[in-house]
Amino acid sequence: MFCGHLRDRETALMFPGGDARKLAAKIEELVSDSTLYRKLSRASATTWEGLQLPVKWGDLLHRWVRGEASEVEWLKQHSLANSL
């Protein structure tokens, strides 16, 4: 879900899901490398903002129920499929 938005060692540390040993190794790497920690910390606010969607649930439902051509176009433009 986040792979297209995060870059390993630039905006996050990546590891395979479900692999506790790899997660532990990444945590150890982060706490033992002050330069990496500082770099990721500085990028954290911008990275978080980049993960936020500009669509509110109520807005999405309202536009979907109305179903007008302009609303359908808005839904297409704000589709998660467009962000991949």
Side-chain angles (χ1 to χ4, degrees):
M1 174 175 157
F2 299 112
C3 289
H5 301 284
L6 301 175
R7 293 179 315 280
D8 193 33
R9 302 182 60 76
E10 295 292 324
T11 59
L13 290 179
M14 311 286 271
F15 61 94
D19 191 334
R21 289 179 189 203
K22 294 272 173 97
L23 170 58
K26 293 294 182 170
I27 293 170
E28 178 63 32
E29 179 182 5
L30 187 61
V31 299
S32 63
D33 185 339
S34 61
T35 302
L36 178 61
Y37 183 88
R38 187 171 28 262
K39 179 180 182 178
L40 294 179
S41 293
R42 287 183 178 152
S44 65
T46 303
T47 301
W48 176 249
E49 288 173 22
L51 293 172
Q52 302 306 300
L53 298 175
V55 177
K56 303 294 182 232
W57 182 246
D59 229 8
L60 176 90
L61 289 176
H62 177 76
R63 290 172 185 268
W64 180 68
V65 168
R66 286 185 57 187
E68 297 172 9
S70 63
E71 305 295 7
V72 171
E73 185 58 34
W74 185 92
L75 291 168
K76 287 180 184 176
Q77 290 173 358
H78 292 85
S79 169
L80 287 175
N82 290 334
S83 66
L84 299 176

